[in-house]
Amino acid sequence: MVTLILIAVAGLAGQLVDGGLGMGFGVTSTTILIMLAGLGPAQASAVVHTAELGTTLVSGISHWKFGNVDWRVVASIGIPGSIGAFAGATVLSNLSTEAAKPIMSLILAAIGINLVWRFSRGIVRRQVAERPHSKPFLGVLGLFGGFIDATGGGGWGPVTTSTLLSAGRSEPRRIVGTVNTAEFFVTSAATAGFVIGMWEDLVANLAAVIALLIGGVIAAPLAAWLVTRLNPILLGGIVGTLIVTLNLPVVLKALGVAASALVFVRIAVVVVGLALAFRGWKKSRENSRAAAEKEGASQSKDEVNPASAAASVSATR
C-alpha cells in the first residue's frame, strides 16, 4: 500500500511538472518510481509508458481539434520515433537491473542538465522563420528521441520539443501539438516493446499503472492552476536540478566514486542548479519587461502616425 501511494505521488508530481512546462511527466515520474518506490528501471519505464497511453491519446486529439498538428511532421518524426522507442524498450527489457540502473540514471541526469541549462537562459522570443525541416533531420531526431524516451523512462519532449523550438521554424503551438501527437505513437511502440519483453512484470505492476494514472488525474486541474501562478522558467530549473541531484550520484557510484565524495557532488549540484534557475528567472523577467516596453513604444508610435498603423493592419490581412 505504501508503494502504491508513492507511485500515485509520482504521478501527481509528474503531472504538476508537465502541466507547468509542457514536458517532464515521464522523466519526473520515472525518477521518483526508481528512487522512492523501489521499482527497477525497466519496470518503472514500462509503468510510465503504459500510463501515458491514455494521456498522450487525449492530448493528441485535443491538439488536432485546435489545429495545432502538422501531420506530415508527425509522420516524419513519429515513425522513426516509434522504431527507436521499440528498440529502446527491447534493450532495456533485456538488461539486468544492476546494469540498467546506472545507464538510465545517466540518461536522466543528461536530460536534467539539459533542462537546467535551457531554462537558465530565460524565455527568448524568437523570430519564427517558416521553413520546413528536412525529412532526414526529423528522422534522426525522432529515432534518437524515441530511444532515449524508452530507455530513460521519458525524454521525448525534452529532446524533440526543445530542439524544434530552438530552431524557430514553426509556431510554438504547432511544434508542441505536433510533438505531443507523435508521442502517442512513440509511447505505443515503447509499451509494445515492454509487453513483448516483460509481460509478466507489466501485469504484476498493473496496480502501479492505475496508481500513477490516479495521481496524474488528481494533479491535472492543480497543474492548470499552478501554471498561472508559478514562473515556468523557475519551475524548469528546479525540476532539472532535482533530477540531476538524484541521478548523477548513481552514475558516479557505478564508476567507483567514494560515498563521501557523492555528498559534496549533491551539494554542488543543488547550489549550481538553483543559482542557474534563479538566473533564468531574472532573465525571463528582464525579457518580458523589455518586450512589454518595446510593444508599448510601438503602439505609441502608431498612435502618433495613424497612417502607419493603418498600413500595418492592412498588411496583416
Side-chain angles (χ1 to χ4, degrees):
M1 179 59 69
V2 174
T3 301
L4 290 179
I5 292 174
L6 289 174
I7 292 172
V9 169
L12 190 146
Q15 185 58 46
L16 286 177
V17 172
D18 198 79
L21 302 179
M23 65 179 75
F25 179 85
V27 176
T28 305
S29 300
T30 300
T31 298
I32 296 176
L33 288 176
I34 293 174
M35 300 298 174
L36 298 183
L39 268 67
Q43 288 78 12
S45 187
V47 166
V48 168
H49 281 90
T50 305
E52 281 186 321
L53 281 174
T55 58
T56 54
L57 177 61
V58 172
S59 177
I61 292 174
S62 300
H63 280 294
W64 168 58
K65 287 191 173 183
F66 280 103
N68 296 335
V69 179
D70 185 335
W71 287 104
R72 289 174 298 179
V73 177
V74 168
S76 297
I77 199 172
I79 294 174
S82 299
I83 295 172
F86 184 84
T90 302
V91 169
L92 190 61
S93 298
N94 288 284
L95 285 178
S96 66
T97 300
E98 291 184 2
K101 191 169 184 178
I103 294 174
M104 177 175 278
S105 292
L106 177 62
I107 294 171
L108 291 171
I111 293 173
I113 292 171
N114 175 59
L115 288 174
V116 172
W117 173 245
R118 175 189 170 192
F119 288 108
S120 70
R121 294 175 295 169
I123 294 178
V124 179
R125 189 173 293 180
R126 293 180 177 272
Q127 185 73 26
V128 176
E130 290 286 350
R131 289 179 297 154
H133 292 283
S134 67
K135 288 187 177 180
F137 168 78
L138 292 174
V140 172
L141 180 63
L143 189 68
F144 178 72
F147 187 83
I148 292 297
D149 186 73
T151 53
W156 175 254
V159 171
T160 55
T161 304
S162 298
T163 302
L164 294 177
L165 283 174
S166 65
R169 293 195 180 186
S170 184
E171 296 177 76
R173 69 178 184 89
R174 295 275 286 179
I175 292 174
V176 172
T178 298
V179 170
N180 280 6
T181 302
E183 187 176 11
F184 169 72
F185 302 102
V186 173
T187 300
S188 299
T191 303
F194 286 122
V195 167
I196 294 173
M198 45 186 298
W199 169 252
E200 293 182 359
D201 286 334
L202 195 56
V203 171
N205 286 302
L206 187 60
V209 174
I210 296 172
L212 193 68
L213 275 173
I214 291 174
V217 170
I218 292 174
L222 182 57
W225 172 84
L226 181 67
V227 75
T228 65
R229 295 290 187 273
L230 187 62
N231 188 299
I233 297 297
L234 186 61
L235 177 62
I238 293 173
V239 170
T241 300
L242 177 63
I243 292 172
V244 177
T245 303
L246 292 175
N247 288 284
L248 186 57
V250 177
V251 178
L252 296 178
K253 183 179 179 181
L255 295 175
V257 176
S260 57
L262 296 180
V263 176
F264 293 102
V265 170
R266 288 190 174 94
I267 294 173
V269 169
V270 170
V271 171
V272 173
L274 292 181
L276 289 173
F278 180 72
R279 173 178 178 263
W281 173 71
K282 283 188 65 178
K283 291 192 70 172
S284 70
R285 294 190 61 175
E286 293 171 1
N287 291 336
S288 298
R289 192 180 303 113
E293 290 175 355
K294 184 177 180 181
E295 186 175 346
S298 177
Q299 289 177 352
S300 299
K301 184 177 179 180
D302 289 340
E303 289 174 2
V304 173
N305 188 354
S308 175
S312 177
V313 171
S314 299
T316 60
R317 288 179 179 175

